[in-house]
Amino acid sequence: MSIFKTAEAGEVKAKQLSKEGCKVTLAVEATPALVAKSFQNAAVQVQSRAQMQGFRAGKVPLDLVKQNFGGHIKERALDLVVKAAITGALEETKLNPVTVPVLTKGDFSSFSEDKSFSFEIAVDVAPEFDVKDYKGIVLTKKTETATDAEVQENLERVLDANARLETADDGAVVDDKCYAVVHYKGKRNGTEDYKLSADSELIDMAAPQTMPGLAEAVKGMKKGDSKTFETKEGEDTLSFEVTVDEIKNKVLPKLDDSFAKDMGFDTLDALKAKVKESLDAEAKQNARRAETAEIEDHLVKMNHFDLPQSLVDEYTESSLRNFVTSMTRMKPEQLTAEQRKSFEERIRPSVEKDLRVGYIIHAIAKKENLEATEADWKAELDKSLASSNGNKAEEKKIKTFFDERKAHIMATLSERKVFDFLKAQAVTK
């Protein structure tokens, strides 16, 4: 950490050279006074770590430090000057960067203790725009209840999840609808491969298989039948000897009061009512999401402005790393240039849309005076505390979370206010 956080008045001069989109280029000059002060502070900092024979660490006289560690002092002074001057320049120009400013130009060879130091920085700032066309958004009316067909489909899925397998009658053959229990041994290019062997493997004949050709080979076979077959895997030839041990059929339970009781309900009607209630809640939630998506699409379409590209790059990289880590077995560093480019092209549009929506929502909140207040934050905290049912340890966790995440929670509450406002102003057709 620097000894001082910023420069004093008059120690930094800043001038805006250009602005393209959200990128501002500033010319920054650190005066001789700031440079001299930075060299002094740098010398003291280097002294605190300096070691020389005959002196304890950190106790080397300052004049000897300057004689023997001049390069270290200059390097540290340059770092102090640049940081202090950038902070002072941002204060002077009243710019609020969205990412860390980047030093783009500077003659470091001319940096010395007795004269000023000038350089240029690039600063990405938030977009400036007048938000428009956010009242009276036309929304499509969404269905908020489940249909009888959807209820029946859900019940059939419940039946399927509670199905059982029964041994097929004697003489049954393997078909597309049954399950076959088999054992097999396999060879790869004529050599036995234990990875191609299995005992008592259950095959769902209606589902895709990982072992190529196996399901097709056993089709039409009866219990006890054996068969050899070959298939290809890339350039390899795989050969198998497979035997059908058993054939089973999936049997669904009957949809009646007895099944409903097994599921914890008094009657079939009670089960149907619960399914309907759950599906209605899901339909209502989906309708709210669809409404929000419609509003976001409209706002993005009607409000055009440049985004800070450094922020887009930063969020794209973060999203890419999260996506690759969670959805593949690879590490982001293992991606080829072509794979990285492909992922970025898929992720960037979503990142840009989310950023754009965020700026628009913030602008509406400011324009309509919908920003969250301390009272809103306190009400949300009280609501969460009420859910702890008096558990002191849980209450402490909630309070800590709300304190640590206050800015994020306030932003979320503001966003909620804005969307409530937009939906109230919208026209539903």
Side-chain angles (χ1 to χ4, degrees):
M1 180 179 288
S2 301
I3 289 178
F4 53 91
K5 294 182 180 180
T6 185
E8 295 178 9
E11 290 185 336
V12 176
K13 300 175 183 177
K15 179 182 178 183
Q16 182 171 312
L17 299 179
S18 65
K19 183 178 182 184
E20 297 180 10
C22 295
K23 187 177 291 296
V24 177
T25 301
L26 294 180
V28 182
E29 179 187 343
T31 65
L34 176 58
V35 174
K37 182 168 66 174
S38 298
F39 266 93
Q40 293 167 6
N41 290 329
V44 172
Q45 291 179 22
V46 171
Q47 181 191 35
S48 68
R49 299 188 298 273
Q51 295 184 24
M52 286 184 67
Q53 189 173 1
F55 300 97
R56 285 184 295 137
K59 298 300 182 180
V60 180
L62 197 57
D63 57 340
L64 290 179
V65 171
K66 291 179 179 180
Q67 291 175 26
N68 292 277
F69 299 95
H72 294 288
I73 293 173
K74 184 176 181 179
E75 183 179 329
R76 182 62 181 149
L78 178 61
D79 182 58
L80 295 175
V81 164
V82 169
K83 289 179 178 177
I86 287 177
T87 304
L90 295 177
E91 290 178 354
E92 183 176 325
T93 55
K94 294 181 170 55
L95 292 179
N96 186 22
V98 295
T99 55
V100 178
V102 177
L103 194 151
T104 58
K105 186 184 294 186
D107 183 8
F108 303 111
S109 62
S110 67
F111 181 66
S112 64
E113 190 171 359
D114 59 352
K115 61 181 182 179
S116 63
F117 178 65
S118 299
F119 56 93
E120 292 181 11
I121 60 172
V123 184
D124 262 356
V125 297
E128 297 177 358
F129 64 99
D130 184 20
V131 64
K132 59 184 180 180
D133 294 320
Y134 58 88
K135 293 182 180 178
I137 299 173
V138 178
L139 301 177
T140 306
K141 185 171 179 59
K142 311 296 187 300
T143 301
E144 296 189 3
T145 57
T147 64
D148 291 341
E150 289 170 332
V151 172
Q152 184 60 34
E153 182 182 345
N154 187 275
L155 287 169
E156 288 172 2
R157 285 199 294 269
V158 174
L159 288 175
D160 192 69
N162 288 274
R164 68 183 187 279
L165 294 180
E166 288 187 353
T167 302
D169 296 335
D170 292 339
V173 298
V174 178
D175 59 23
D176 291 333
K177 298 179 181 178
C178 72
Y179 288 75
V181 181
V182 303
H183 69 268
Y184 56 85
K185 290 184 178 180
K187 297 179 180 179
R188 184 183 296 275
N189 301 323
T191 302
E192 288 190 6
D193 186 343
Y194 75 93
K195 294 180 181 178
L196 301 178
S197 301
D199 292 318
S200 300
E201 181 162 322
L202 183 67
I203 304 174
D204 178 0
M205 294 297 294
Q209 303 298 317
T210 56
M211 186 63 69
L214 180 60
E216 192 62 32
V218 300
K219 198 176 296 183
M221 294 173 65
K222 296 181 180 179
K223 178 180 179 180
D225 287 351
S226 295
K227 182 179 182 179
T228 59
F229 70 96
E230 285 189 354
T231 186
K232 298 289 288 186
E233 185 181 71
E235 297 182 358
D236 293 343
T237 298
L238 308 182
S239 55
F240 295 90
E241 181 178 351
V242 59
T243 300
V244 175
D245 299 323
E246 204 168 358
I247 300 174
K248 293 177 177 289
N249 293 319
K250 182 164 71 173
V251 179
L252 299 180
K254 189 176 180 181
L255 187 60
D256 55 16
D257 287 343
S258 177
F259 175 74
K261 284 184 171 61
D262 289 340
M263 298 300 294
F265 296 87
D266 293 335
T267 64
L268 177 58
D269 286 341
L271 171 59
K272 288 181 177 180
K274 183 60 179 179
V275 170
K276 179 74 163 60
E277 179 186 332
S278 297
L279 291 179
D280 283 349
E282 185 179 339
K284 191 168 186 177
Q285 191 176 47
N286 289 338
R288 297 285 79 78
R289 288 199 194 101
E291 252 184 5
T292 299
E294 245 187 310
I295 290 172
E296 289 179 347
D297 289 342
H298 173 87
L299 293 175
V300 168
K301 181 180 178 181
M302 304 308 295
N303 291 273
H304 303 278
F305 51 87
D306 292 316
L307 291 170
Q309 284 308 301
S310 60
L311 202 59
V312 173
D313 292 341
E314 181 183 319
Y315 285 11
T316 299
E317 175 65 20
S318 176
S319 297
L320 182 148
R321 298 184 74 86
N322 290 337
F323 176 81
V324 171
T325 302
S326 61
M327 300 301 291
T328 74
R329 296 181 179 181
M330 300 175 67
K331 294 181 179 179
E333 295 77 16
Q334 296 174 313
L335 294 176
T336 65
E338 187 175 343
Q339 287 172 325
R340 172 173 280 276
K341 181 180 178 183
S342 176
F343 279 127
E344 285 181 350
E345 287 175 349
R346 291 166 59 186
I347 292 169
R348 187 174 290 269
S350 176
V351 168
E352 289 181 344
K353 181 183 177 182
D354 289 345
L355 275 173
R356 203 174 296 280
V357 169
Y359 280 121
I360 294 171
I361 295 302
H362 178 74
I364 295 173
K366 189 172 182 179
K367 192 170 183 177
E368 297 291 340
N369 195 27
L370 295 170
E371 287 130 323
T373 63
E374 285 287 332
D376 295 325
W377 179 83
K378 181 67 166 55
E380 193 71 14
L381 171 60
D382 291 342
K383 182 180 175 182
S384 295
L385 289 173
S387 67
S388 66
N389 297 317
N391 185 315
K392 298 300 180 184
E394 188 66 22
E395 286 182 359
K396 185 177 179 181
K397 285 182 182 179
I398 292 172
K399 288 178 180 177
T400 300
F401 176 81
F402 267 72
D403 286 336
E404 292 177 349
R405 303 278 290 170
K406 185 172 183 177
H408 177 77
I409 292 169
M410 293 283 277
T412 301
L413 293 174
S414 293
E415 181 177 311
R416 188 189 302 170
K417 278 187 168 186
V418 170
F419 274 104
D420 288 344
F421 170 81
L422 295 176
K423 288 175 182 180
Q425 294 283 325
V427 178
T428 303
K429 292 186 178 179

